[in-house]
Amino acid sequence: MQNNNLSKTTSLITTALLTVFLSSPFGYAQQDSKNKLPEIGAAGSSVLSIDKERQIGDAMMRHLRASQPIIHDPILTEYINDLGNRMVRHAQDVNYNFEFFLINNKEINAFAFFGGHIGVHSGLITTATTESELASVLAHEISHVTQRHLARKMEASSRNQPLTMAGMISGVLLALVNPTVGMAALSTTMAASQQAGINYTRGNEKEADRVGIQLLANSGFNPMGAPNFFAKLSEKYRYTSKPPAMLLTHPMPESRIAEARVRAQNFGAPQIAPSLSFELAKTRIQARYQSTPKDNIRLYLAKLDKQQYSYQAVAQYGLAIAYFENKQYSQAQEILEQLRTQERNNLFYIDVLTDTYIQLEQFDAALAMLAEVEKLMPKNQVVALNYANALLSAKKYQQAEQVLQDFLLIDKNNYLANDLLTQVYQAQKNMAMMHATKAEVLALLGAYPRAIDELQTGYNFANEKGNEKPLIKKRIKARIIQLQEQEEKLKRLN
C-alpha cells in the first residue's frame, strides 16, 4: 500500500505534556520494583509507575505522529515490529507491548522512550549491511528500556532545582529524535553539565551492550552484528565534523567497541544466510523514499546488469517500485507478477502490486489476489489495509467499511486504518461517521480539542431532523467523554 500524503495538524498537546513532565521524572518502561539490577538498583520504579510510563509514552507517541515524518507504511511497519518483537520475546521483565516505528530521515539514529516505544530512522536501515547489524541496534535500545536507564538518570536529575527540570522539558523529545538540534535547544536553558543529564552514562551504555548482545544471540542473530555496526559508524565518521545522531547519544570510544567485540565473540559467530525480508525492506526504503524515480530506475537496472545483489529478486523489486513511482505501471506490473510466481504470498510483492493494479484500474485482479491471501493471513495489517484500499478504489464501500471495522477491533490505534475509514464514510456520504472517524485520526495526533469538535459536528449530523441515529449519537457522546477524560488524565499526572 502506497504511503499516502496524510493531512497533519500542528495543534498538539504540548501544554498537557509540559504539565506531565514538570512533575514527573523521566523513565524507560519495563521493570518494576521486583526487578533486580545489582549495579544500579531499582531507582526510578518508586516514583514513576508502569501505568504513568504508559500514559506519558502514549502522549509522546501522539506528539511524534503530528510533528515527525513517520512512515505510515504497513509492510515496513510490520517488518520492523516483527524484527523487534523477535527479541522482546527473549527479554526479561517485559510489562507491556513494545511498539517499533520508522521515521523518514536519512540520519543514522534510533531512540527509545516511555512505554516501550522505539523509533528507527530510515537511514539506519539503509546503512546496515546485514539484518544482524540492524537487530543489534534494536537490541541495544530494548536493553536501555528494560534496564530503566533514563528513568534512573532523570530521577537523579529531579532532585536538583525544579527550574532545571522545567528548562529540560521542551528539548528532551527533540533531542531523542534529532540530537544535534535537540541539544542546541536544551543548551539555551541549561549548563553543559546539566544538559548531559539526558545522556546515558558510560555504565548505562556498557550494560546495554552486555544485555543487548546477549539478547541478540539468544534471538538467533549474529552477536558480532553489534560491534561490527558500531565500529563501522565510528570509523566512517572519525574525522568528520558532523557525526551521525546515534554517535552523539551513544558515543563509541575504541575501548567500548573492543569490549563489545570480545563479549560478542564469546557467543560465537553463527553463519546466517542473508535475510530476504531485510533486503526487501532496505530496498523499499531506497526505492520509495530516497532519490528520484528516474535515478532509481538507472540504479536498479545497473544492479541487475552487473549482478550486484544478494538476491536477484531484491533488485527486481527495487526496479518495480522505481517504475511505479515513475508512473510506468505496466512495467511494474510485469516484474511484480513475475516475482509472485517465485513466492506467491510474499507481502512485499503483494503490497506494491495492489497499488499497481489500482493505478491501472484492474480492481478485479487486486481484489482476487487479496481475497486469496486474506484466507491465509486473516487480520494481517498489510493484507487488511491493502484490501480495504482496493475495495475503496473499486467503490465497494460497504465491504471496505467491514474490513476496516474488523481490523480496528484488534488495532484501534492504527493511523492508516482510521484514515482509510474516514475516506470510506466520506465516499458513502455518511457525514456523522465521517466526522467521528476523523476525530480518531486527530486524537492519534494528540489534537484532542479538534477531535472533540469533529465529534460534536458528527453528533449534529446524526441529530438532523428526519435523519436521527440514536445509536450513533450515544456512541459519539460516549467518545466525547472518553477523550475529555484522556485529556484530564494527562493533567492529573502532576
Side-chain angles (χ1 to χ4, degrees):
M1 181 176 178
Q2 191 172 19
N3 188 27
N4 298 326
N5 292 321
L6 301 168
S7 62
K8 292 198 173 182
T9 177
T10 56
S11 178
L12 306 177
I13 50 173
T14 306
T15 303
L17 280 171
L18 186 60
T19 302
V20 171
F21 292 129
L22 287 178
S23 58
S24 304
F26 289 74
Y28 270 66
Q30 236 7 55
Q31 298 181 347
D32 55 21
S33 58
K34 298 178 182 178
N35 189 36
K36 297 179 181 179
L37 295 171
E39 302 105 305
I40 304 177
S45 59
S46 60
V47 290
L48 187 62
S49 69
I50 295 300
D51 183 59
K52 184 176 285 190
E53 284 195 18
R54 285 197 189 97
Q55 293 177 48
I56 297 173
D58 177 72
M60 290 179 74
M61 191 66 227
R62 291 172 196 268
H63 180 102
L64 282 177
R65 288 193 195 102
S67 63
Q68 296 298 316
I70 290 179
I71 296 178
H72 296 288
D73 184 318
I75 191 69
L76 290 175
T77 299
E78 177 151 307
Y79 169 72
I80 200 67
N81 276 276
D82 177 69
L83 180 65
N85 282 312
R86 283 164 61 185
M87 289 179 287
V88 171
R89 285 194 290 271
H90 293 87
Q92 305 254 333
D93 302 307
V94 177
N95 294 297
Y96 37 68
N97 294 331
F98 272 63
E99 178 183 359
F100 300 83
F101 62 96
L102 295 172
I103 291 180
N104 188 13
N105 191 319
K106 292 184 180 180
E107 281 275 353
I108 303 167
N109 195 24
F111 58 95
F113 59 92
F114 311 96
H117 298 278
I118 295 181
V120 180
H121 284 204
S122 56
L124 190 146
I125 297 178
T126 55
T127 300
T129 304
T130 66
E131 189 170 56
S132 289
E133 289 186 355
L134 172 59
S136 74
V137 178
L138 299 186
H140 188 91
E141 296 302 328
I142 291 168
S143 299
H144 276 311
V145 172
T146 59
Q147 305 308 302
R148 295 179 65 90
H149 287 154
L150 199 54
R152 290 167 181 157
K153 188 65 177 174
M154 289 305 167
E155 182 183 34
S157 298
S158 70
R159 300 190 188 103
N160 298 329
Q161 295 180 4
L163 288 178
T164 300
M165 183 63 77
M168 185 185 296
I169 301 309
S170 62
V172 167
L173 184 58
L174 181 58
L176 287 170
V177 179
N178 189 332
T180 304
V181 177
M183 295 299 184
L186 285 171
S187 65
T188 62
T189 56
M190 305 172 68
S193 61
Q194 295 168 326
Q195 179 181 329
I198 73 162
N199 293 333
Y200 298 119
T201 65
R202 291 182 182 179
N204 292 158
E205 289 294 350
K206 285 186 177 182
E207 185 172 44
D209 289 342
R210 174 178 61 79
V211 176
I213 289 172
Q214 182 170 352
L215 185 57
L216 197 62
N218 292 346
S219 304
F221 297 100
N222 185 346
M224 291 301 295
N228 288 348
F229 185 71
F230 286 118
K232 178 166 60 180
L233 286 189
S234 182
E235 182 62 31
K236 182 177 180 180
Y237 294 95
R238 182 185 301 274
Y239 302 109
T240 61
S241 59
K242 185 185 177 185
M246 176 164 288
L247 292 186
L248 290 175
T249 51
H250 299 75
M252 282 285 159
E254 290 297 326
S255 59
R256 183 178 160 203
I257 295 172
E259 289 174 11
R261 190 174 299 279
V262 170
R263 186 172 291 113
Q265 287 172 342
N266 290 333
F267 291 96
Q271 294 299 314
I272 300 175
S275 163
L276 177 61
S277 293
F278 166 73
E279 297 293 344
L280 289 171
K282 183 175 178 177
T283 296
R284 185 180 179 92
I285 291 171
Q286 292 171 330
R288 178 155 275 178
Y289 302 101
Q290 296 182 3
S291 194
T292 67
K294 285 184 171 61
D295 286 343
N296 283 329
I297 289 171
R298 286 191 288 269
L299 171 67
Y300 289 107
L301 282 173
K303 284 179 178 289
L304 287 165
D305 181 56
K306 298 175 183 177
Q307 298 185 3
Q308 295 175 337
Y309 45 70
S310 54
Y311 293 97
Q312 184 180 29
V314 171
Q316 291 172 324
Y317 179 66
L319 180 60
I321 295 177
Y323 278 140
F324 178 89
E325 296 294 330
N326 203 44
K327 300 183 179 180
Q328 294 176 251
Y329 303 123
S330 296
Q331 290 92 325
Q333 178 184 0
E334 181 180 355
I335 295 171
L336 291 163
E337 287 181 339
Q338 180 185 351
L339 288 173
R340 281 200 73 217
T341 64
Q342 303 169 22
E343 196 173 356
R344 189 161 186 80
N345 298 319
N346 187 307
L347 295 180
F348 281 92
Y349 307 153
I350 288 169
D351 180 275
V352 185
L353 187 53
T354 300
D355 290 340
T356 304
Y357 282 144
I358 290 173
Q359 292 298 326
L360 293 170
E361 298 187 357
Q362 297 179 15
F363 303 122
D364 289 344
L367 295 176
M369 174 180 68
L370 291 162
E372 175 187 327
V373 180
E374 199 269 342
K375 293 176 183 176
L376 299 173
M377 308 177 198
K379 306 303 181 290
N380 175 278
Q381 69 169 314
V382 180
V383 178
L385 293 173
N386 274 284
Y387 202 4
N389 192 39
L391 287 165
L392 171 61
S393 301
K395 300 183 179 180
K396 298 188 177 186
Y397 303 130
Q398 288 187 336
Q399 289 176 260
E401 178 186 351
Q402 191 61 57
V403 169
L404 289 167
Q405 286 180 340
D406 289 347
F407 178 70
L408 285 167
L409 289 175
I410 60 173
D411 189 3
K412 66 178 181 179
N413 288 333
N414 188 286
Y415 189 81
L416 273 181
N418 280 288
D419 185 73
L420 274 173
L421 190 55
T422 303
Q423 296 176 46
V424 169
Y425 286 132
Q426 186 173 25
Q428 291 176 312
K429 296 185 171 26
N430 185 343
M431 303 310 291
M433 289 306 298
M434 188 276 283
H435 285 285
T437 311
K438 187 177 180 181
E440 298 304 320
V441 175
L442 291 167
L444 288 171
L445 300 175
Y448 291 118
R450 288 186 60 189
I452 291 170
D453 284 346
E454 288 290 336
L455 286 167
Q456 187 61 59
T457 302
Y459 182 88
N460 292 338
F461 273 107
N463 199 39
E464 284 183 344
K465 189 174 182 181
N467 189 38
E468 288 194 7
K469 299 176 181 177
L471 181 60
I472 292 177
K473 287 167 58 180
K474 287 181 180 179
R475 287 173 56 190
I476 291 176
K477 285 184 70 174
R479 188 58 178 148
I480 289 173
I481 293 171
Q482 286 178 339
L483 291 185
Q484 289 172 337
E485 288 177 348
Q486 280 184 247
E487 198 169 19
E488 284 302 312
K489 189 178 290 186
L490 285 174
K491 296 175 184 177
R492 286 199 301 269
L493 284 175
N494 66 346

